[in-house]
Short mmCIF file of all heavy atoms in Angstrom, two decimals:
data_model
loop_
_atom_site.label_atom_id
_atom_site.label_comp_id
_atom_site.label_asym_id
_atom_site.label_seq_id
_atom_site.Cartn_x
_atom_site.Cartn_y
_atom_site.Cartn_z
N GLU X 430 -2.29 10.24 -9.24
CA GLU X 430 -2.19 10.11 -10.69
C GLU X 430 -0.89 9.43 -11.11
O GLU X 430 -0.89 8.61 -12.04
CB GLU X 430 -2.33 11.49 -11.35
CG GLU X 430 -3.74 12.06 -11.25
CD GLU X 430 -3.88 13.45 -11.81
OE1 GLU X 430 -2.91 14.25 -11.70
OE2 GLU X 430 -4.94 13.77 -12.35
N ALA X 431 0.18 9.73 -10.43
CA ALA X 431 1.47 9.09 -10.73
C ALA X 431 1.40 7.59 -10.42
O ALA X 431 1.89 6.77 -11.20
CB ALA X 431 2.59 9.76 -9.96
N LEU X 432 0.80 7.24 -9.30
CA LEU X 432 0.68 5.83 -8.93
C LEU X 432 -0.17 5.06 -9.93
O LEU X 432 0.20 3.95 -10.35
CB LEU X 432 0.06 5.70 -7.53
CG LEU X 432 -0.24 4.29 -7.05
CD1 LEU X 432 1.06 3.52 -6.80
CD2 LEU X 432 -1.11 4.32 -5.80
N LEU X 433 -1.27 5.64 -10.36
CA LEU X 433 -2.19 4.97 -11.26
C LEU X 433 -1.71 5.02 -12.72
O LEU X 433 -2.11 4.20 -13.53
CB LEU X 433 -3.59 5.57 -11.17
CG LEU X 433 -4.27 5.50 -9.81
CD1 LEU X 433 -5.65 6.14 -9.86
CD2 LEU X 433 -4.37 4.06 -9.31
N GLY X 434 -0.89 6.02 -13.02
CA GLY X 434 -0.43 6.19 -14.40
C GLY X 434 -1.47 6.77 -15.33
O GLY X 434 -1.41 6.55 -16.54
N ILE X 435 -2.47 7.45 -14.76
CA ILE X 435 -3.53 8.07 -15.55
C ILE X 435 -3.83 9.46 -15.00
O ILE X 435 -3.47 9.78 -13.87
CB ILE X 435 -4.83 7.25 -15.54
CG1 ILE X 435 -5.38 7.10 -14.11
CG2 ILE X 435 -4.63 5.90 -16.21
CD1 ILE X 435 -6.75 6.50 -14.03
N SER X 436 -4.49 10.26 -15.81
CA SER X 436 -4.97 11.56 -15.35
C SER X 436 -6.39 11.41 -14.83
O SER X 436 -7.20 10.69 -15.43
CB SER X 436 -4.97 12.57 -16.51
OG SER X 436 -5.63 13.75 -16.11
N LEU X 437 -6.67 12.05 -13.74
CA LEU X 437 -8.03 12.05 -13.18
C LEU X 437 -8.71 13.39 -13.41
O LEU X 437 -9.67 13.73 -12.74
CB LEU X 437 -7.97 11.71 -11.68
CG LEU X 437 -7.40 10.32 -11.36
CD1 LEU X 437 -7.21 10.15 -9.86
CD2 LEU X 437 -8.30 9.23 -11.92
N ARG X 438 -8.21 14.14 -14.39
CA ARG X 438 -8.70 15.50 -14.66
C ARG X 438 -10.21 15.53 -14.88
O ARG X 438 -10.86 16.50 -14.53
CB ARG X 438 -7.98 16.08 -15.87
CG ARG X 438 -8.39 17.53 -16.12
CD ARG X 438 -7.37 18.35 -16.86
NE ARG X 438 -6.06 18.42 -16.28
CZ ARG X 438 -5.68 19.22 -15.28
NH1 ARG X 438 -6.54 20.00 -14.71
NH2 ARG X 438 -4.43 19.23 -14.86
N ALA X 439 -10.78 14.50 -15.44
CA ALA X 439 -12.22 14.47 -15.69
C ALA X 439 -13.03 14.57 -14.40
O ALA X 439 -14.21 14.95 -14.44
CB ALA X 439 -12.60 13.18 -16.42
N TYR X 440 -12.40 14.31 -13.28
CA TYR X 440 -13.10 14.30 -11.99
C TYR X 440 -12.74 15.50 -11.11
O TYR X 440 -13.18 15.58 -9.97
CB TYR X 440 -12.81 12.99 -11.24
CG TYR X 440 -12.92 11.79 -12.15
CD1 TYR X 440 -11.78 11.09 -12.53
CD2 TYR X 440 -14.15 11.40 -12.67
CE1 TYR X 440 -11.86 10.01 -13.39
CE2 TYR X 440 -14.24 10.32 -13.53
CZ TYR X 440 -13.10 9.63 -13.89
OH TYR X 440 -13.18 8.57 -14.75
N TYR X 441 -11.92 16.42 -11.64
CA TYR X 441 -11.51 17.60 -10.87
C TYR X 441 -12.73 18.47 -10.58
O TYR X 441 -13.62 18.61 -11.44
CB TYR X 441 -10.50 18.44 -11.65
CG TYR X 441 -9.07 17.92 -11.67
CD1 TYR X 441 -8.77 16.60 -11.44
CD2 TYR X 441 -8.03 18.78 -11.96
CE1 TYR X 441 -7.45 16.14 -11.49
CE2 TYR X 441 -6.72 18.32 -12.03
CZ TYR X 441 -6.43 17.01 -11.78
OH TYR X 441 -5.15 16.56 -11.83
N PRO X 442 -12.77 19.11 -9.43
CA PRO X 442 -13.88 20.03 -9.13
C PRO X 442 -13.76 21.31 -9.97
O PRO X 442 -12.68 21.67 -10.44
CB PRO X 442 -13.70 20.34 -7.64
CG PRO X 442 -12.26 20.07 -7.36
CD PRO X 442 -11.84 18.99 -8.33
N ASP X 443 -14.88 21.99 -10.14
CA ASP X 443 -14.91 23.23 -10.92
C ASP X 443 -14.20 24.38 -10.20
O ASP X 443 -13.66 25.28 -10.85
CB ASP X 443 -16.35 23.65 -11.22
CG ASP X 443 -17.02 22.66 -12.16
OD1 ASP X 443 -16.33 22.00 -12.96
OD2 ASP X 443 -18.27 22.56 -12.09
N THR X 444 -14.20 24.35 -8.88
CA THR X 444 -13.57 25.42 -8.11
C THR X 444 -12.18 24.98 -7.63
O THR X 444 -11.94 23.79 -7.41
CB THR X 444 -14.43 25.80 -6.89
OG1 THR X 444 -14.62 24.64 -6.08
CG2 THR X 444 -15.78 26.36 -7.32
N SER X 445 -11.32 25.94 -7.45
CA SER X 445 -9.96 25.68 -6.99
C SER X 445 -9.97 25.33 -5.50
O SER X 445 -10.64 25.98 -4.71
CB SER X 445 -9.09 26.91 -7.24
OG SER X 445 -7.80 26.69 -6.74
N ILE X 446 -9.20 24.31 -5.16
CA ILE X 446 -9.06 23.87 -3.75
C ILE X 446 -7.58 23.78 -3.46
O ILE X 446 -6.85 23.04 -4.13
CB ILE X 446 -9.76 22.52 -3.52
CG1 ILE X 446 -11.25 22.64 -3.83
CG2 ILE X 446 -9.53 22.05 -2.10
CD1 ILE X 446 -11.98 21.32 -3.83
N ASP X 447 -7.14 24.53 -2.46
CA ASP X 447 -5.71 24.58 -2.14
C ASP X 447 -5.24 23.42 -1.26
O ASP X 447 -4.08 23.04 -1.33
CB ASP X 447 -5.38 25.90 -1.44
CG ASP X 447 -5.50 27.09 -2.39
OD1 ASP X 447 -5.32 26.87 -3.62
OD2 ASP X 447 -5.77 28.20 -1.91
N HIS X 448 -6.10 22.88 -0.44
CA HIS X 448 -5.68 21.82 0.47
C HIS X 448 -5.61 20.48 -0.26
O HIS X 448 -6.59 20.02 -0.82
CB HIS X 448 -6.66 21.72 1.65
CG HIS X 448 -6.14 20.93 2.78
ND1 HIS X 448 -6.08 19.55 2.76
CD2 HIS X 448 -5.62 21.33 3.96
CE1 HIS X 448 -5.57 19.12 3.90
NE2 HIS X 448 -5.26 20.18 4.64
N PRO X 449 -4.42 19.84 -0.29
CA PRO X 449 -4.25 18.61 -1.09
C PRO X 449 -5.18 17.47 -0.68
O PRO X 449 -5.68 16.76 -1.54
CB PRO X 449 -2.79 18.22 -0.88
CG PRO X 449 -2.19 19.21 0.03
CD PRO X 449 -3.20 20.25 0.38
N ALA X 450 -5.42 17.29 0.61
CA ALA X 450 -6.27 16.18 1.06
C ALA X 450 -7.73 16.43 0.68
O ALA X 450 -8.44 15.50 0.29
CB ALA X 450 -6.15 15.97 2.56
N ILE X 451 -8.16 17.66 0.79
CA ILE X 451 -9.55 17.99 0.42
C ILE X 451 -9.74 17.85 -1.09
O ILE X 451 -10.74 17.30 -1.55
CB ILE X 451 -9.94 19.39 0.92
CG1 ILE X 451 -9.95 19.39 2.44
CG2 ILE X 451 -11.29 19.82 0.36
CD1 ILE X 451 -10.15 20.75 3.08
N LEU X 452 -8.77 18.31 -1.86
CA LEU X 452 -8.84 18.16 -3.31
C LEU X 452 -8.90 16.68 -3.70
O LEU X 452 -9.71 16.27 -4.53
CB LEU X 452 -7.65 18.85 -3.99
CG LEU X 452 -7.55 18.69 -5.51
CD1 LEU X 452 -8.78 19.26 -6.20
CD2 LEU X 452 -6.28 19.34 -6.02
N LEU X 453 -8.05 15.89 -3.09
CA LEU X 453 -8.02 14.45 -3.36
C LEU X 453 -9.38 13.82 -3.02
O LEU X 453 -9.92 13.02 -3.79
CB LEU X 453 -6.90 13.80 -2.56
CG LEU X 453 -6.61 12.34 -2.81
CD1 LEU X 453 -6.29 12.07 -4.26
CD2 LEU X 453 -5.44 11.89 -1.93
N GLY X 454 -9.94 14.22 -1.90
CA GLY X 454 -11.24 13.70 -1.50
C GLY X 454 -12.35 14.09 -2.47
O GLY X 454 -13.21 13.27 -2.82
N ARG X 455 -12.31 15.32 -2.94
CA ARG X 455 -13.33 15.78 -3.90
C ARG X 455 -13.22 15.03 -5.22
O ARG X 455 -14.23 14.70 -5.85
CB ARG X 455 -13.20 17.29 -4.13
CG ARG X 455 -13.52 18.13 -2.94
CD ARG X 455 -14.99 18.50 -2.86
NE ARG X 455 -15.31 19.16 -1.62
CZ ARG X 455 -15.20 20.48 -1.40
NH1 ARG X 455 -14.80 21.26 -2.38
NH2 ARG X 455 -15.51 20.97 -0.23
N VAL X 456 -11.99 14.80 -5.66
CA VAL X 456 -11.79 14.08 -6.93
C VAL X 456 -12.28 12.65 -6.80
O VAL X 456 -12.97 12.13 -7.70
CB VAL X 456 -10.32 14.15 -7.38
CG1 VAL X 456 -10.04 13.19 -8.52
CG2 VAL X 456 -9.97 15.58 -7.79
N THR X 457 -11.96 11.98 -5.71
CA THR X 457 -12.41 10.59 -5.56
C THR X 457 -13.92 10.52 -5.36
O THR X 457 -14.56 9.57 -5.82
CB THR X 457 -11.67 9.86 -4.41
OG1 THR X 457 -11.80 10.60 -3.20
CG2 THR X 457 -10.19 9.68 -4.75
N ASP X 458 -14.52 11.52 -4.71
CA ASP X 458 -15.97 11.58 -4.61
C ASP X 458 -16.60 11.75 -5.99
O ASP X 458 -17.61 11.11 -6.32
CB ASP X 458 -16.43 12.73 -3.70
CG ASP X 458 -16.26 12.41 -2.23
OD1 ASP X 458 -16.07 11.23 -1.87
OD2 ASP X 458 -16.35 13.37 -1.42
#
Side-chain angles (χ1 to χ4, degrees):
E430 290 176 326
L432 175 69
L433 300 179
I435 61 171
S436 171
L437 298 172
R438 184 155 305 278
Y440 315 109
Y441 283 21
D443 293 333
T444 58
S445 177
I446 299 171
D447 291 333
H448 195 283
I451 294 173
L452 176 60
L453 187 57
R455 294 271 172 87
V456 168
T457 55
D458 283 345

